[in-house]
Amino acid sequence: MADIKPFTIAIDDHQLKDLKTRLTLAKFPDELDEAGWDMGAPLADVKRLTKHWLQSYNWRRAETELNKLPHFVTDIQCEGYEPLSIHFIHVRSKVQGAIPLLFIHGWPGHFQEVPKILKPLTEGGDGVKYPAFDIIAPSLPNFGFSQGTKKRGFALEQYAETMNKLMLKLGYKEYVTQGGDWGCHISRALAHLYPKYCKATHLNMDSANAPEYLKNPILALQHAVTPYNKREHHGIDRSRWFEVEGHGYNVEQSTKPQTLGYALADSPVACLAWIYEKLHDWTDSYPWTDDEVCTWVSIYWFSAAGPAASVRIYYETNHNVDGRKGKIDRYKIREWTSGVKLGFSHFPMDIAVRPSTWVRTLGNVVFEKEHDSGGHFAAWERPDDIVTDVREMFGKGGGAFGVVKGATGYTS
C-alpha cells in the first residue's frame, strides 16, 4: 500500500553528541563492600559499560547492521486515539503459502530480538523439509522507532488492535504469533479480541494461574494428584525468586511510571543500569558482549517516543483510567480462549516458569517443549530452540499445522 514506506534508522548527530555529553558527566553512586547482583547492577559493571558506550562503542556501525534488515513504517490508528507511525521489520519468504508470523516483543526488549530467527524461518524454511514463514516484527507503540501516544488509557486492547490492524494492512487475513513477556500478553489479548484473524500463538513465557476445580476440574484434579517433574519443581523456585526478589521494577512501572521516567529520559546511565539488570537477571548466563548491551540500550535511548514511554504499558494495563467495560487486564488474559491454538516453549530461567497444568488452563494447548537452558529473551538467547519449536508446532504433523487457510508453509 502507498502509505507503507521503507524506513532507515538514522540518528541525528546532535543526539549522539548529547549522549556523549551526558555519559561524560555521569555521577555514580557508591556501593557497599561485597555488594553483588542481589542488590542490583554492580557498580563496576555499570562503570565499564558506561566507559565502553562513551569511548569504544560505535553506534554508526550498529546502525549500519540494523539497517541491513528491511524496515518499514506505516500509520495505524486505534479507535479513540491519534494515528501513530508504526515501525516494523517485514521479511517475506520466497515460498508461496508461507505462514504469516507476527513476532511481538516485550519490555525491555524490542524488534532487535528477532534477527537470529529471521533467516532460518524465512529462507531456511524451504517449503519441503521445513515450513516457510513470513516474519513481521514491529516496534510496539511507545517502543523503538514507533511513535508513542499522548493520550491515557492505551492498554492491552490498543496494543492488540495495533498489531491486528498492521497484519490486516499487510494483507494477512489470518496469522499466527510468537512472543514472550508483553508479546505473550498481547498475543493472549489477540486471542480474546481477534480470534477470527489470530489463529494460533507460540509463547515462550508461562503466564497462567493454577487450575481451579470450578473452572478447570479435570486439570485441577490432574494438578492435585500428579507430582511435579524436575522442570516444574525448578520453575516453582525460579518464579518465587522473581516474585520476591525481582519484581520491584514491575511495581514501580505499574504505579508511578512518570517518576521513573525522569531518570530514564535524562540519564543514559540510569537507563543502562535499569535495563542491564534485567538482561543479566532474566537470562541463563547468556554471555552478553558490551557491544550487544550498548546496542540494546541505545535502541531505547534513541527511541522515537523516548525510553520513559515504554514503561507506561505496565500502568495502563493495571489501571482502568477510562472505566471501560470488560477491560483486558492481567486477569482477563489468563482466562480460557476457544479457537486459538496455543504452544509453549518452557525455558528454566524465565521469570515465570509454571507447571504444564497451569498453562493448559488458557486454551487448546497443542504443543509443549521443555528446554534444559535458556531464559526470558529466548529468540536472542536460544534462537535454534525457538526455530525448532515453531517449525514443529506449525509443520506437518504439528498441532497447529494448516491453521492459517491457504498458508501451510509448504509447497505441496
Side-chain angles (χ1 to χ4, degrees):
M1 298 179 68
D3 62 340
I4 297 176
K5 301 175 182 178
F7 176 77
T8 300
I9 302 169
I11 302 304
D12 292 338
D13 287 339
H14 76 83
Q15 291 179 272
L16 292 172
K17 184 178 180 180
D18 176 78
L19 171 61
K20 298 287 186 182
T21 299
R22 291 171 187 270
L23 291 171
T24 300
L25 297 174
K27 182 180 179 180
F28 297 93
D30 64 354
E31 185 179 61
L32 295 178
D33 294 341
E34 300 181 3
W37 276 102
D38 60 313
M39 296 191 72
L43 180 60
D45 290 84
V46 175
K47 280 188 170 181
R48 185 194 76 250
L49 286 164
T50 300
K51 182 179 180 180
H52 181 76
W53 205 4
L54 173 64
Q55 297 181 359
S56 305
Y57 177 70
N58 187 331
W59 167 256
R60 291 301 184 204
R61 183 167 57 223
E63 193 176 65
T64 298
E65 286 300 310
L66 292 171
N67 281 324
K68 290 180 180 178
L69 299 173
H71 297 264
F72 302 89
V73 291
T74 193
D75 284 353
I76 301 290
Q77 184 171 15
C78 291
E79 184 177 353
Y81 290 83
E82 73 274 40
L84 299 177
S85 176
I86 300 300
H87 158 259
F88 61 99
I89 293 169
H90 189 193
V91 179
R92 291 186 184 271
S93 169
K94 295 180 180 178
V95 175
Q96 292 292 322
I99 303 165
L101 187 148
L102 173 64
F103 178 91
I104 311 176
H105 69 80
W107 186 93
H110 37 54
F111 68 90
Q112 179 60 4
E113 294 179 64
V114 83
K116 293 181 181 180
I117 67 173
L118 275 177
K119 283 191 175 181
L121 290 178
T122 56
E123 297 180 15
D126 57 5
V128 179
K129 183 177 181 181
Y130 299 118
F133 295 84
D134 289 352
I135 305 294
I136 303 89
S139 293
L140 291 171
N142 299 308
F143 287 78
F145 300 111
S146 290
Q147 289 182 331
T149 182
K150 297 299 183 184
K151 295 185 66 175
R152 296 189 66 173
F154 199 99
L156 278 176
E157 291 94 337
Q158 285 68 43
Y159 285 94
E161 183 181 351
T162 302
M163 296 296 98
N164 188 63
K165 284 183 173 178
L166 174 62
M167 294 301 284
L168 295 179
K169 194 171 189 177
L170 292 173
Y172 299 116
K173 304 305 181 185
E174 294 183 352
Y175 57 88
V176 303
T177 73
Q178 199 291 316
D181 197 86
W182 285 105
C184 168
H185 301 325
I186 295 168
S187 289
R188 293 293 300 143
L190 286 165
H192 278 279
L193 296 170
Y194 304 106
K196 177 181 177 181
Y197 307 109
C198 177
K199 308 310 293 183
T201 64
H202 175 268
L203 306 175
N204 54 271
M205 188 173 81
D206 305 338
S207 181
N209 296 323
E212 302 175 25
Y213 280 103
L214 292 179
K215 294 181 179 180
N216 324 98
I218 296 176
L219 284 172
L221 179 62
Q222 182 182 349
H223 179 250
V225 302
T226 305
Y228 289 152
N229 63 22
K230 182 179 179 181
R231 177 195 75 81
E232 292 169 330
H233 271 296
H234 176 271
I236 295 295
D237 292 338
R238 174 65 174 173
S239 300
R240 185 179 297 115
W241 167 84
F242 175 71
E243 291 161 4
V244 174
E245 299 290 346
H247 199 247
Y249 82 96
N250 192 302
V251 176
E252 180 67 18
Q253 293 179 179
S254 296
T255 56
K256 295 293 187 287
Q258 185 66 23
T259 304
L260 174 62
Y262 297 112
L264 298 178
D266 184 65
S267 170
V269 173
C271 188
L272 166 66
W274 193 248
I275 292 174
Y276 179 55
E277 173 198 290
K278 284 73 177 175
L279 298 183
H280 173 273
D281 285 359
W282 297 0
T283 54
D284 192 1
S285 301
Y286 178 77
W288 293 99
T289 67
D290 289 355
D291 269 2
E292 278 181 303
V293 173
C294 287
T295 297
W296 201 280
V297 178
S298 291
I299 292 172
Y300 273 90
W301 184 255
F302 294 133
S303 60
S310 68
V311 303
R312 294 174 187 147
I313 187 173
Y314 290 82
Y315 183 92
E316 299 292 9
T317 297
N318 283 279
H319 295 80
N320 194 353
V321 299
D322 51 8
R324 70 186 64 158
K325 295 181 179 179
K327 178 179 171 62
I328 303 291
D329 56 18
R330 290 180 181 272
Y331 303 100
K332 183 69 175 178
I333 59 175
R334 293 183 178 185
E335 294 180 1
W336 178 275
T337 53
S338 300
V340 179
K341 295 184 176 182
L342 299 174
F344 287 90
S345 293
H346 303 291
F347 292 95
M349 294 303 286
D350 201 354
I351 58 177
V353 187
R354 305 301 188 188
S356 292
T357 50
W358 290 38
V359 301
R360 290 179 179 271
T361 64
L362 299 175
N364 180 19
V365 176
V366 299
F367 173 86
E368 276 192 271
K369 179 70 70 68
E370 298 182 1
H371 295 282
D372 295 331
S373 61
H376 192 64
F377 307 98
W380 189 257
E381 292 178 73
R382 308 292 300 179
D384 291 348
D385 289 337
I386 291 294
V387 168
T388 299
D389 291 358
V390 167
R391 284 173 171 171
E392 185 175 339
M393 177 175 171
F394 294 102
K396 290 180 178 179
F401 173 69
V403 72
V404 176
K405 295 186 184 72
T408 65
Y410 291 90
T411 56
S412 61

